[in-house]
Amino acid sequence: MTRGRHRHPLLLEALQAGEVVVEELAERFGVSASTIRRDLQQLASEKTIRRTYGGAVIAHPLPETSLPEREAQARPEKAAIARAAIGLLSDDDILVLDGGSTVATFGAGLIGGAGRPGRRHAIITNNLPLVGVLAGAPGLALTVLGGAVRPGSMSTMGPLAEASLRRLTADKAVVSGDGFVAGRGLCEAAIEQVSLKSLMMEQAAEVVVLMDSSKLGRATQGAWAPLPRRWTLVTDAGATQAQCAEAEEAGARVVRAGS
Amino acid sequence: MTRGRHRHPLLLEALQAGEVVVEELAERFGVSASTIRRDLQQLASEKTIRRTYGGAVIAHPLPETSLPEREAQARPEKAAIARAAIGLLSDDDILVLDGGSTVATFGAGLIGGAGRPGRRHAIITNNLPLVGVLAGAPGLALTVLGGAVRPGSMSTMGPLAEASLRRLTADKAVVSGDGFVAGRGLCEAAIEQVSLKSLMMEQAAEVVVLMDSSKLGRATQGAWAPLPRRWTLVTDAGATQAQCAEAEEAGARVVRAGS
DNA sequence: CTCCCTTTGCGTGGATCGCGCAATATGTGC
DNA sequence: GCACATATTGCGCGATCCACGCAAAGGGAG
């Protein structure tokens, strides 16, 4: 049995999933409902959680894990990855850009013909925050993929997005993912994301995957997007030799940013 | 005594301040605790609020600036027009929303089931600033029309947007324009805008035009979008009798906000 | 005016909460 | 090892709150 305050962190972990009821918690931790109630009472007094009738929820539901927050979070690695990926581009490339903050950081680096002036990229993306950044930038023709808005990631997806994308092709697809495993590909939370991401890779002549080293070799989600025979992985200097070897085995040309 | 659902918006207003208890609400509205409980039960089933022991709190604490702030920020005429237009909606309407700041003000007013909770609007729009405002709002299903981004107005248009829209229909189209002249319709700067706007009106069962009185009877641009046989004009109290008569002559039902 | 629907208030049964008390487990000093 | 102080836990009790059913009052349509 978990005793005393040692139970509080576990309690919070259980609360992350959403609302939980007292009885369920009591059974899971092998204690009485009174004890759970006392724990919740204390956490509620600290404004950590909020009691409901028969249960409790997180008081501050990780305030939207907002995109600015995410960008500030792993900024150095992502910025290095973005810079390295921009170096892979050719002039006048037509690019299709995936959702996610890593790709958004990359896209923001394209402003002002970054690196070499005279570039005239065409951008096709479902990355809504990126649209606000790139709109009106000189030398960039911006096309948005329509569809249903997924609030958490601020990207579009669904049949409408795929139907639009089928009418377009690109020189390079720049995508990210929640994880990567050789033989499976990229993993995502939802099948809709995978479907659109796969189509992006199909419609582009080359595929560039931006992924920091913490995600390599990890299967954090259950929906998988297979990778093409040849692709390019841009990751950070923290990638281990084994991680790079796994990617190369899966057909990747590996670029380690900042190394 | 405030009767029926007319109490829900006031209830939400009271909830904005934080947590409130049932007894307090019952006393404030002059009804029994049972009635308050029923109201809260309904709002909770719509995920608008969350019940606590003896009270309730807002479920999604408006991550953006609050609605009154936005309305105060917008020009008074636009805010009044937006409020009046929201009053024209039915529950569960599917809405297609045009670009432009007037329509964006209207759209922002839909947050939190403004007016009457329980609404479950589906929103189809090419209005990119509005997407950032509405994303994740409870009770709203958001679909973006893809296409080329027009930086000046932050809206999408072009063949991709029209092809997407052809697959969708709506109960009401809410559009704006740079000007209006009876017999011609709405005028815009570019033919691409007109093309998409016309399609929006064709795909919707009803057409609502939001336009402040300064634009009525003025031909400021050269591209024209014809209006359907019957439509609704929502304008501000500054509209003259002649302006309203011109609109009615063109088949409009005229709503003057704030009059 | 009548009929029908909605909304409201109240009572009842069930569930939850908070608190006090006693028993047990944990930690500490000698 | 032993005794004592403290913390944690389980249980019972009264009080509060919630959900449901029922009857009455208010509005709208024909």
Side-chain angles (χ1 to χ4, degrees):
Chain A
M1 184 198 327
T2 317
R3 283 186 56 81
R5 338 190 93 84
H6 306 304
R7 202 172 37 246
H8 287 197
L10 300 174
L11 218 42
L12 287 175
E13 186 179 345
L15 269 288
Q16 295 288 353
E19 184 166 0
V20 191
V21 295
V22 170
E23 281 300 333
E24 190 177 324
L25 291 171
E27 184 178 358
R28 181 185 310 188
F29 291 99
V31 296
S32 74
S34 297
T35 303
I36 295 296
R37 254 186 276 273
R38 262 187 288 255
D39 289 337
L40 298 180
Q41 192 173 23
Q42 184 171 352
L43 290 173
S45 71
E46 299 164 1
K47 309 288 187 216
T48 308
I49 66 169
R50 187 179 288 280
R51 289 302 313 274
T52 62
Y53 188 85
V57 292
I58 299 280
H60 307 286
L62 290 186
E64 298 99 42
T65 53
S66 62
L67 283 134
E69 193 175 327
R70 285 182 177 276
E71 286 189 1
Q73 180 179 342
R75 176 144 20 156
E77 291 82 3
K78 288 186 181 179
I81 291 173
R83 277 195 303 272
I86 287 174
L88 300 176
L89 301 182
S90 307
D91 292 352
D92 305 336
D93 263 348
I94 300 174
L95 302 176
V96 53
L97 303 188
D98 192 15
S101 61
T102 306
V103 175
T105 303
F106 162 82
L110 297 171
I111 290 181
R116 302 208 300 250
R119 288 182 167 176
R120 290 271 183 276
H121 293 299
I123 310 289
I124 304 161
T125 186
N126 68 331
N127 195 321
L128 294 178
L130 183 56
V131 171
V133 174
L134 293 185
L140 296 180
L142 191 55
T143 299
V144 180
L145 293 173
V149 175
R150 183 183 176 86
S153 60
M154 280 303 280
S155 61
T156 61
M157 55 187 56
L160 228 47
E162 295 180 23
S164 299
L165 186 52
R166 275 184 220 285
R167 302 190 177 194
L168 305 166
T169 60
D171 295 311
K172 293 184 177 70
V174 181
V175 304
S176 62
D178 281 350
F180 159 75
V181 170
R184 291 189 181 274
L186 306 177
C187 69
E188 285 290 343
I191 186 68
E192 292 87 0
Q193 290 178 287
V194 165
S195 180
L196 184 59
K197 199 184 302 281
S198 293
L199 184 57
M200 284 180 172
M201 294 191 277
E202 288 173 19
Q203 301 294 90
E206 295 180 31
V207 171
V208 178
V209 176
L210 310 185
M211 185 173 290
D212 63 76
S213 56
S214 68
K215 294 175 181 169
L216 296 176
R218 291 181 54 177
T220 55
Q221 306 288 351
W224 294 89
L227 287 159
R229 205 170 56 82
R230 304 295 302 166
W231 54 290
T232 303
L233 170 66
V234 183
T235 186
D236 57 75
T240 67
Q241 200 66 34
Q243 286 175 321
C244 294
E246 180 180 0
E248 285 169 353
E249 180 189 344
R253 175 170 64 113
V254 177
V255 175
R256 267 195 289 196
S259 67
Chain B
M1 185 197 320
T2 318
R3 284 183 56 80
R5 354 182 84 88
H6 306 305
R7 201 172 39 247
H8 287 198
L10 300 175
L11 219 41
L12 287 175
E13 187 178 345
L15 270 287
Q16 296 288 354
E19 184 167 359
V20 271
V21 294
V22 170
E23 281 300 335
E24 190 178 324
L25 291 171
E27 184 178 357
R28 181 185 309 188
F29 290 99
V31 297
S32 73
S34 296
T35 302
I36 295 295
R37 253 187 277 274
R38 262 187 286 254
D39 289 338
L40 297 181
Q41 191 173 26
Q42 184 172 352
L43 291 173
S45 72
E46 299 160 2
K47 303 281 191 282
T48 307
I49 66 169
R50 188 179 287 281
R51 290 301 314 274
T52 63
Y53 186 87
V57 291
I58 299 276
H60 305 281
L62 290 191
E64 309 293 330
T65 55
S66 68
L67 176 59
E69 278 181 19
R70 286 187 176 276
E71 285 195 353
Q73 181 177 342
R75 302 229 317 268
E77 293 84 1
K78 289 187 180 182
I81 290 173
R83 275 197 302 273
I86 287 173
L88 300 177
L89 301 182
S90 307
D91 291 353
D92 306 335
D93 264 349
I94 300 175
L95 302 176
V96 53
L97 303 188
D98 192 16
S101 62
T102 305
V103 176
T105 302
F106 162 82
L110 296 173
I111 290 182
R116 300 212 301 246
R119 290 179 166 177
R120 287 265 184 282
H121 294 302
I123 309 289
I124 304 161
T125 186
N126 68 332
N127 195 322
L128 295 178
L130 183 57
V131 171
V133 175
L134 292 186
L140 296 180
L142 193 55
T143 300
V144 180
L145 292 172
V149 175
R150 181 183 176 86
S153 61
M154 279 303 280
S155 61
T156 61
M157 56 187 59
L160 226 48
E162 296 181 22
S164 298
L165 187 51
R166 274 184 220 285
R167 301 189 177 195
L168 303 167
T169 59
D171 295 310
K172 294 185 176 70
V174 180
V175 303
S176 61
D178 282 350
F180 160 76
V181 170
R184 291 188 182 275
L186 306 176
C187 69
E188 284 290 342
I191 186 68
E192 292 88 359
Q193 290 177 285
V194 166
S195 179
L196 184 59
K197 199 183 302 282
S198 293
L199 184 58
M200 283 180 173
M201 294 191 278
E202 288 173 19
Q203 299 295 89
E206 296 180 30
V207 171
V208 177
V209 176
L210 311 185
M211 186 175 290
D212 64 75
S213 56
S214 68
K215 294 175 181 169
L216 295 175
R218 291 180 56 177
T220 56
Q221 306 287 351
W224 294 89
L227 287 159
R229 205 171 56 82
R230 303 296 301 166
W231 54 291
T232 302
L233 169 66
V234 182
T235 186
D236 57 75
T240 66
Q241 200 65 33
Q243 286 174 320
C244 294
E246 180 180 0
E248 284 168 355
E249 179 188 347
R253 175 170 64 113
V254 177
V255 176
R256 269 194 288 194
S259 66

